[in-house]
Amino acid sequence: MTDRWTHRPPGSNWGDFGPDDQLGRLNLMDRAKVKQGLAEAVEGITFCLSLPLDYPGGSGLNPRRKPPVVRPTLREGAVNFNATLPGASDVLCDDLAIIHLQYSTQWDALCHVGGQFDTTGSGTADKVFYNGYRAGEHIIAPDEMSDAGVGSDMKPHSTSQATALGIENAAAHGIQGRGVMVDLRAHFGDDRTLVDYDMLMQVMEADGVQIEQGDMLVLHTGFAQVILDMHKTPDEDRLHNACAVLDGRDARLLQWITDSGIAAIAADNYAVEAHPATPGEGCCSTLPLHEHCLFKNGIMLGELWHLTPLADWLRANGRSRFLITAPPLRLPSAVGSPVTPVATV
């Protein structure tokens, strides 16, 4: 209980890591867990788990997210690319990027998805985020549409900010520890498959996968490989109908996520869970796994990671565990971040 809330959502862990916690279950990725991860790096082989950040190409997955644009900076009114200086032999290049932070391989910050919940028992639902941080007070949006998006009149200053729960908290903590691969593609192929609790447990049992508190759950579905194979000209139908996704509406699956003690979840698909979710009773979230993880339990979600080469190596070598190093950008007040995760086996 804090001055931000007196009632917490059912199934949440608000306050369990302290009244002002902004890390959630990353608190479980501690020194001991880092050492366990390091112990898995026995071969010294590394895998880059990021797609090129201009993939998938287009905006078919999410019309609000666009591919990155890279441009040169200016130097005294001229293009600062292949630029020379009077009397010097240097040739200089300097550039900038306009990037939608969650277009490609990414982390969702805990402020990426909140919920409407009566935190005071007054009978009125508030717009709140993990641990009761509030929309308008801590997660601040501009008042005018002209202060959002990218346009020719874009102002040279930030107009939205997460003064709590921003992605920089995870960056400062560092995301490094033991990753555990669950290879859904090996069992379900590339067809669209809705994976519930029973199916996930069957895969883990068949492959001898064990997950402990503080581990990062890593789900290989093959979706990022499907994207790569489309070479930035993705087929719209294929984007929305390929590979395995978790059934976020399955209450037993959500309870297992709680009970397992996992510190974070990363997958190579879009949203980790089926989007939109299967129908639920009454008024409910369209992204129930996001609600359960980000909003209720402070479990960060990684999306569109490129996992196929790592998954293939692990399967060929009878392993499921590895060292994961995956800090987001230390970009203050952002609600998500590109990431270039590295796995070491």
Side-chain angles (χ1 to χ4, degrees), residues 29 33-40 176-180 210-218 320-324:
M29 195 172 279
K33 189 54 61 175
V34 173
K35 290 180 179 179
Q36 288 180 349
L38 291 169
E40 298 295 336
Q176 186 175 55
R178 188 169 68 190
V180 181
Q210 294 185 337
I211 292 178
E212 299 174 4
Q213 178 175 291
D215 288 339
M216 182 191 299
L217 172 64
V218 180
S320 61
R321 293 176 170 181
F322 51 93
L323 171 66
I324 184 73

Side-chain angles (χ1 to χ4, degrees), residues 202-223:
Q202 289 166 7
V203 169
M204 291 174 61
E205 182 177 1
D207 290 349
V209 176
Q210 294 185 337
I211 292 178
E212 299 174 4
Q213 178 175 291
D215 288 339
M216 182 191 299
L217 172 64
V218 180
L219 301 169
H220 175 233
T221 72
F223 185 74

Side-chain angles (χ1 to χ4, degrees), residues 3-62:
D3 57 358
R4 294 187 304 277
W5 55 271
T6 57
H7 296 65
R8 69 181 188 178
S12 75
N13 65 6
W14 291 13
D16 287 4
F17 296 110
D20 299 316
D21 174 62
Q22 298 184 44
L23 290 175
R25 293 254 282 255
L26 282 186
N27 284 287
L28 301 177
M29 195 172 279
D30 55 14
R31 292 174 62 185
K33 189 54 61 175
V34 173
K35 290 180 179 179
Q36 288 180 349
L38 291 169
E40 298 295 336
V42 294
E43 300 293 341
I45 302 171
T46 59
F47 293 85
C48 173
L49 306 184
S50 176
L51 290 168
L53 292 185
D54 55 355
Y55 275 74
S59 296
L61 274 180
N62 187 324

Side-chain angles (χ1 to χ4, degrees), residues 76-88:
E76 299 176 353
V79 174
N80 193 20
F81 223 77
N82 297 330
T84 57
L85 302 175

Side-chain angles (χ1 to χ4, degrees), residues 70-312:
V70 179
R71 298 168 61 90
T73 61
L74 293 172
R75 176 181 289 272
E76 299 176 353
V79 174
N80 193 20
F81 223 77
N82 297 330
T84 57
L85 302 175
S89 62
D90 312 87
V91 180
L92 305 175
C93 296
D94 194 24
D95 54 14
L96 61 87
I98 302 170
I99 186 167
H100 290 66
L101 297 177
Q102 292 170 272
Y103 177 77
S104 186
T105 304
Q106 63 178 271
W107 275 121
D108 291 344
L110 298 185
C111 52
H112 174 53
V113 172
Q116 299 179 65
F117 180 75
D118 181 4
T119 59
T120 62
S122 66
T124 301
D126 306 305
K127 293 181 182 179
V128 289
F129 296 82
Y130 176 71
N131 222 5
Y133 289 101
R134 295 178 171 273
E137 181 180 352
H138 305 104
I139 317 300
I140 302 168
D143 295 323
E144 303 295 333
M145 192 186 308
S146 59
D147 284 334
V150 177
S152 59
D153 59 345
M154 186 173 66
K155 297 179 180 178
H157 60 268
S158 300
T159 58
S160 60
Q161 57 179 330
T163 63
L165 304 177
I167 198 69
E168 74 275 12
N169 295 288
H173 178 269
I175 300 182
Q176 186 175 55
R178 188 169 68 190
V180 181
M181 177 74 73
V182 176
D183 192 351
L184 299 176
R185 188 189 200 187
H187 294 263
F188 302 120
D190 288 344
D191 291 337
R192 184 73 162 186
T193 305
L194 192 62
V195 177
D196 61 14
Y197 168 80
D198 287 332
M199 296 164 71
L200 182 64
M201 293 302 107
Q202 289 166 7
V203 169
M204 291 174 61
E205 182 177 1
D207 290 349
V209 176
Q210 294 185 337
I211 292 178
E212 299 174 4
Q213 178 175 291
D215 288 339
M216 182 191 299
L217 172 64
V218 180
L219 301 169
H220 175 233
T221 72
F223 185 74
Q225 188 62 50
V226 169
I227 284 177
L228 273 177
D229 292 343
M230 290 192 282
H231 305 290
K232 291 195 292 187
T233 56
D235 174 81
E236 189 95 6
D237 181 70
R238 189 78 173 132
L239 280 179
H240 297 281
N241 293 286
C243 303
V245 290
L246 294 186
D247 182 1
R249 201 70 76 191
D250 182 359
R252 289 199 299 161
L253 177 60
L254 300 184
Q255 187 60 50
W256 176 81
I257 291 172
T258 295
D259 296 340
S260 67
I262 53 176
I265 304 174
D268 59 352
N269 61 13
Y270 176 66
V272 183
E273 63 180 310
H275 175 61
T278 54
E281 296 181 5
C283 179
C284 51
S285 173
T286 61
L287 288 166
L289 187 140
H290 277 64
E291 179 187 61
H292 184 79
C293 291
L294 297 173
F295 172 55
K296 292 185 176 182
N297 288 286
I299 301 170
M300 287 178 59
L301 298 175
E303 302 175 19
L304 293 173
W305 292 28
H306 183 215
L307 300 174
T308 297
L310 171 63
D312 290 347

